Each structure stands twice: as structure tokens, then as C-alpha cells.
Amino acid sequence: MNHPPHTRRPISLIATLIALLISGMVWAGSSAAPERPAGLVTDSSLVIRIYYNDITDIGRLAAYDVWEYNNHEERYVLAAVDYAGYSSLLDAGWRVAIDEAVGAQLNSRQKRFTDFFGGYRTVDQLYTDLEALNLASPDLSELVQYGQSHCLEQGGCLMKGGETLPGFPLLAMRVTNENRPGSSVIDGENIAMGSKPVFFLMANIHAREITTPELAMRFLEQLLSGYGNDPDVTWLVDHHEIWIVPTVNPDGHWLVELGETPAYGGQPFYQRKNANNDANNNGMPDCSAWPPGEAAQPGIDLNRNHSFEWNQGGTSDRPCDLTYLGPSAASENESAAIEDLISALIPDQRGLALNDAAPDDTTGIFITLHSYSNLVLWPWGSRSSAAPNKMGLQAIGDKFATFNGYQSCQSGPCLYRTSGATDDWAYGILGIPAYTFEIGNKFMPPFSEIENRQWPDNGPALLYAAKIARTPYMIVRGPVVNQPAVSGDNPLLTLTATVDDTNNGGQRVVAAVATIDTPPWIAGVGKVALQAADGEFDSSVEAITGSIPTAGLMPGWHIIFVEGQDMGGNRGAVSAAFFEVSPIGLLSERGFIPLATVP
């Protein structure tokens, strides 16, 4: 089945955003002045460094908008505050420094773009594109409504500025070849678990992190357009199940978009939370702050609201604070619905005790996309102690970091303490390896940065995650296969590839096998032993080769799977190549004009 690539929406930058590179920040001084700087007024909105002596000090900043950035070398975090917040930090004895450059950008309300922030999709556009992709690939995709946002369930939310936020369905896209057995069974909002391994990717639980839905959509587009054209994508869609939620928090995204309207001066709001401003259902607003600001805003931080380790630190119980955890665990539609969806797809494979490790053969893997800090984070975030599967979590995180160049670390000690976060929930409840990618160096970079840097950095990491979803704790230990290719003439073809264990344990490669049309993990499949090109398996990186017989294969295109093994017995992620069997005994490369074949 060969699907032509779908047309990707054009990516254009109508105008240039102000550069907000962290490396180019202009600071008011190397340390905080003991008094308020001259010219600071009560309606000021500031971005500041907050310096700490010990990382545990950050736990006392839950009431502030502390960004997901932590400079361990100089011991400071970044935060957005108003004048009162700035003053309270000084009064409490914190050492702070004002960032004039980023503060000026946050206070600017000059309209610069005719599109949403220079090309980003609104929630409506995201949902329109999801519908179009689903209609174009009926055998490969299924668009699922797994719940309702808070405002949709309420019949709309009236904002303090007079606007009505209608709310949105919560949408996820399943990608798998539905004609292959083992897929989950979807009946409306009811889902029965299948037998295919699951990779679950979600984005935009924090509304202002607007690059993350775009990255999730690019991964979705890669899967659907690559089926039948890219051999690795093809086998993944055939044999695995990939779920993508581009925006977990559509109500919050809508509030970010609201800032660009003329009534508010043309810059997206820095809304982080959802739009629930009456969490106790008493008919009174929980937070009177309006419009949504960098220091105070309505709503609940969905990434502090999950049911595992809720209210265990790194949160605030004040409704206007940006880390407000909500009135109870999983109180919010958005967080409860995503928990229910993931639990319906991936089995619970870990015991109830905090020190219970998930088994080596745990199936399923989870990634949530955030911004920013260039980090790959893994549990625990709610505590500094190591998770029971630390070695496996770290091995996978370190492997992801080889693709995107980020720092891989445990989120609690590396960033700051959090509780009620999605990755801790996914690992803590289900036992699956779960990760947060903190992408880039700003919340809202120029749109071109997604295509030029963020997607090239992270697309390969997402593809690797999908590859190892069957048993990630085990497969990450084994070598990867790079650039498999088939050449020569029928009836005996030549396969070449490179098997590399450098970043998967660094052990000596001892074997490699190939299978045709059926992946090597299927019981009873015939395997072709491959050889080291230099005659001996004696290194952690080996060029391999082998002769592939085509006798008995039907004319047409076939897929060949290649798997490597190291001296520890670890088998790594599979890679694949296409080849064509022609009745005239010749081979043509995939992507060139194919030779004539018998129907």
C-alpha cells in the first residue's frame, strides 16, 4: 500500500519576532540591588533571575511563575513577576536580577502579525487539520474524542473581559494499520486495549508552550505521509500503535490566542493553566486577575493536577498562582480524561509501592512535550530519591539526548520539585518509561525555528521512541541499526548496514540478522544471519553485510528488517529497507522509477 505524501500546510513567517535568546539576555546587574530600581512602577511586568543556595530552596517559590529553566552552574531560575511579586521576593531575602530585554517583550502589546503569532495554528486550525489528515488516511488513522474541556462541559466560560470561551472536545489521533490484527478497539469514547505496543505522545498541557502542538502535528504528518514511502514508518504503523494528542489544554490555548486580538493589543497571553475559574463550583470566581498575566491568572495547572503524588510539593494552593494544583487530585476534565485514555491503552505493570520496579519486559512508552530548557526529564519529579527503574529510565533518556542534544536528567533534582505531573503519573501508575521534553529556549520563538531546529532535533527522538515501544527497558540496551540498504540482482541480493552499540551500552556487537516481510520478534520467522564486513565482530560499531535470497518471493515490493545484538545478549531497535523483486531478475531502489512487474 503506497500512499502519496499529504500536502503539508505552508510554513511562512510574515514578520520577525523580537529575539529572546537566553544567551543574549541583558541583565540589569549581576546581583539584585537592595532597593527597588528607580522607575519601577506598580503595573510593571518583569522577568527575573531568582538565585538560590540549594535546589530545595526552589520549593518555596510555588506561588510564582517559575519557568521550566534552571541554571545549575550559576544557581538561578527564571520567573515572571509583577511589581508586588518582585517586592515580596526582595522582602523575603531572595537575591534577584531583572532581565530588561525579555521584560520589555512581555510588556509590549504592539501588533506584529496577521496570523496567530506569525504562523502558529489556533486550536480551530489544529482541529481542522486533524480532521483533514484523518479523512485522507481512513485505514491508518482514527480521530478519537476522549473527553471534553472544562468550558465545553460547562456550556462555555464567560471571561472577565466579556468574551465567551466555548470550549473544545478533547481529541487524540490513533495511527496504526487497522487492517493488521492487534489494534485497540474504539467504540465512541469506549476503548478496548489491543495487543500492539503503544507509544503515547502528548503536547501543550501548558497553554503558552505553543511550539509543542506544531511538533506533535509534524510527527503525525510524518507517520501518515511516510506510510508506504519510508520503510521504518511503514513497519511502525503496521505493527505498533501511536497515539498523538496535539493539545491537552485547548481552552488554555484559546486564552493564549485571545491576547492577539485588538482589544488586548496584539501579543499572545502567557496563559499557562486551563480556564476553570470556579474549581469549587460555588458560583464565584477563584481568581480575579484579568487579563491573564505572567504573575497571576485564572485556571488550574494541569501538570500539577494528576492523581499520582498530588499535592506533594512544587505546587501552590492559591488559585491565581501559576502552579495552582486545583481542589483535588485529577479534579480537571483535561487531566482526568488523559489519564483514562492512557490507562485504556497501556496495562498497569508496576506495583503499588513507590519502590516497586516495573518488569524489564514492560510494554509502552510515553512522552509529553513542554518548553523550554533543552532537557529530557524522567521521574521522579516529586522527590529527589531515585525511581526504582532509574537505570532503564536514564538509559532511554540518555539515548533521546543523543538525538536532540539536550541534557538528560531526573526532573526533581535537575529542574525543581513538582508533583501531580503527567510523566510521574504515567510511570508511577503504569510503570512505563515516561519523559518530558523541554524544547528550545523560549515559549514562543519565531515560527521558523520549529522547522529549522526544533523538529530536526526532536523528530528522530520521537521515531526512536516509537521503535522501542514494544519493550523499551530491554530494547534500549541493544545496538541500533543504521542505513540498511539492499543492492544487486535477483535471485541473490546484498544487504548492507551499520550496527552501533556506542550509545546503548557500548558493548561489542556480536550478531545481526535479517527477516523478510515479518519482523524478527515474531515466533518462528526465518532469519538470515549477517556477517561483519571486515570478517570479525570485534567492535561496538560494525559494518555488516549478507546475501538475501529472493527465491519464492512474489514479484513486487518487500520490506527487510535488520536487528543487531551485542555481547550482553541485548537486541536493539529494528530498522528496515524496501526492495523490489522483479520477474526479469533485477532490483530497483525505492524512490526511483520501478521496473515493470507482473500484476
Side-chain angles (χ1 to χ4, degrees):
M1 187 173 185
N2 188 356
H3 292 284
H6 299 303
T7 302
R8 175 174 288 179
R9 67 192 290 271
I11 299 174
S12 61
L13 187 64
I14 298 175
T16 304
L17 282 167
I18 293 177
L20 300 177
L21 297 174
I22 294 297
S23 60
M25 286 181 176
V26 179
W27 301 100
S30 60
S31 63
E35 299 179 357
R36 281 69 173 158
L40 200 62
V41 294
T42 55
D43 63 349
S44 294
S45 194
L46 310 169
V47 175
I48 60 173
R49 286 181 175 183
I50 306 176
Y51 293 88
Y52 59 86
N53 294 318
D54 186 271
I55 196 167
T56 59
D57 296 342
I58 302 170
R60 295 189 285 118
L61 297 172
Y64 300 91
D65 181 14
V66 178
W67 294 356
E68 289 162 337
Y69 175 87
N70 190 339
N71 188 313
H72 289 267
E73 184 176 346
E74 298 183 47
R75 293 190 178 184
Y76 70 85
V77 291
L78 292 175
V81 297
D82 57 10
Y83 176 84
Y86 178 82
S87 297
S88 68
L89 286 166
L90 290 179
D91 292 341
W94 290 93
R95 185 166 68 94
V96 300
I98 299 173
D99 171 17
E100 302 285 1
V102 177
Q105 191 273 344
L106 290 180
N107 284 308
S108 170
R109 292 302 179 208
Q110 179 183 357
K111 178 70 176 174
R112 295 185 179 90
F113 302 104
T114 56
D115 255 347
F116 172 49
F117 211 59
Y120 288 92
R121 280 174 266 211
T122 63
V123 177
D124 287 334
Q125 290 167 336
L126 284 168
Y127 281 16
T128 296
D129 289 351
L130 284 172
E131 291 279 3
L133 289 168
N134 186 46
L135 289 172
S137 302
D139 293 332
L140 305 179
S141 64
E142 186 78 19
L143 189 57
V144 177
Q145 179 176 341
Y146 65 93
Q148 296 181 329
S149 73
H150 168 76
C151 289
L152 183 60
E153 185 184 59
Q154 297 296 312
C157 295
L158 181 63
M159 301 294 102
K160 192 173 180 181
E163 303 85 4
T164 298
L165 198 173
F168 298 89
L170 301 175
L171 298 182
M173 186 80 92
R174 183 190 71 177
V175 180
T176 195
N177 185 348
E178 297 168 7
N179 297 315
R180 295 266 185 166
S183 302
S184 57
V185 178
I186 301 170
D187 181 12
E189 293 189 24
N190 297 315
I191 299 172
M193 191 180 298
S195 59
K196 291 180 178 179
V198 172
F199 169 35
F200 197 98
L201 175 69
M202 61 176 250
N204 200 223
I205 194 169
H206 285 154
R208 65 192 179 188
E209 297 166 13
I210 60 174
T211 65
T212 64
E214 300 294 340
L215 294 170
M217 291 296 289
R218 275 158 181 72
F219 188 56
L220 174 58
E221 291 162 0
Q222 179 187 27
L223 295 173
L224 295 179
S225 66
Y227 186 81
N229 299 303
D230 181 305
D232 279 335
V233 167
T234 300
W235 77 256
L236 282 170
V237 174
D238 277 342
H239 298 284
H240 287 196
E241 193 164 293
I242 300 160
W243 285 75
I244 299 173
V245 180
T247 175
V248 175
N249 185 7
D251 287 356
H253 198 293
W254 186 94
L255 285 171
V256 174
E257 300 163 27
L258 182 64
E260 271 215 326
T261 61
Y264 294 106
Q267 281 286 83
F269 288 138
Y270 265 45
Q271 176 74 15
R272 170 186 169 100
K273 303 185 285 181
N274 75 351
N276 183 1
N277 199 24
D278 184 14
N280 293 315
N281 297 311
N282 61 4
M284 300 293 292
D286 298 330
C287 176
S288 61
W290 188 262
E294 297 80 42
Q297 57 185 231
I300 292 163
D301 184 349
L302 298 175
N303 203 44
R304 302 293 185 273
N305 186 244
H306 284 289
S307 57
F308 182 81
E309 291 274 273
W310 181 80
N311 195 19
Q312 296 299 307
T315 63
S316 172
D317 58 3
R318 297 191 295 185
C320 286
D321 289 349
L322 275 77
T323 57
Y324 175 47
L325 74 172
S328 60
S331 61
E332 301 311 289
N333 285 9
E334 296 89 348
S335 50
I338 203 76
E339 289 185 12
D340 289 346
L341 176 60
I342 299 170
S343 297
L345 299 169
I346 302 174
D348 179 356
Q349 298 154 93
R350 201 182 78 85
L352 295 177
L354 279 173
N355 60 354
D356 286 342
D360 269 2
D361 62 355
T362 290
T363 185
I365 191 166
F366 168 88
I367 293 176
T368 177
L369 301 181
H370 284 245
S371 63
Y372 60 87
S373 286
N374 295 329
L375 296 171
V376 175
L377 301 174
W378 28 272
W380 304 116
S382 61
R383 55 191 63 241
S384 59
S385 59
N389 289 94
K390 180 192 174 181
M391 290 184 64
L393 292 167
Q394 182 170 354
I396 298 169
D398 289 353
K399 182 63 180 181
F400 289 150
T402 67
F403 294 106
N404 57 26
Y406 296 173
Q407 179 184 358
S408 166
C409 49
Q410 182 183 336
S411 55
C414 183
L415 188 58
Y416 43 71
R417 189 176 181 185
T418 61
S419 61
T422 327
D423 52 359
D424 269 14
W425 174 86
Y427 170 71
I429 296 298
L430 304 177
I432 58 175
Y435 299 87
T436 294
F437 284 13
E438 293 284 358
I439 295 167
N441 58 9
K442 55 182 72 71
F443 293 128
M444 301 179 189
F447 188 69
S448 58
E449 187 168 323
I450 298 169
E451 199 73 11
N452 294 338
R453 183 165 186 176
Q454 293 188 0
W455 173 243
D457 284 353
N458 290 284
L462 299 180
L463 194 67
Y464 181 77
K467 281 188 172 188
I468 67 173
R470 181 167 43 90
T471 52
Y473 291 127
M474 297 173 65
I475 295 175
V476 73
R477 301 173 189 161
V480 296
V481 177
N482 296 319
Q483 298 178 320
V486 181
S487 60
D489 297 336
N490 296 327
L492 199 62
L493 308 177
T494 298
L495 171 67
T496 59
T498 300
V499 181
D500 186 350
D501 202 54
T502 304
N503 295 307
N504 296 70
Q507 299 190 61
R508 177 167 57 89
V509 175
V510 298
V513 297
T515 63
I516 296 174
D517 293 334
T518 301
W521 62 82
I522 301 298
V525 63
K527 298 180 180 180
V528 178
L530 306 173
Q531 297 79 45
D534 62 3
E536 185 176 358
F537 285 108
D538 57 3
S539 171
S540 61
V541 181
E542 289 284 352
I544 60 168
T545 188
S547 297
I548 307 301
T550 62
L553 295 179
M554 294 293 293
W557 288 105
H558 295 266
I559 189 168
I560 191 164
F561 299 86
V562 185
E563 180 185 66
Q565 182 178 335
D566 65 22
M567 65 182 297
N570 304 302
R571 294 178 171 85
V574 168
S575 291
F578 286 127
F579 67 93
E580 185 182 32
V581 174
S582 169
I584 60 174
L586 298 175
L587 174 77
S588 65
E589 293 289 339
R590 189 70 167 183
F592 290 85
I593 299 174
L595 301 175
T597 58
V598 175

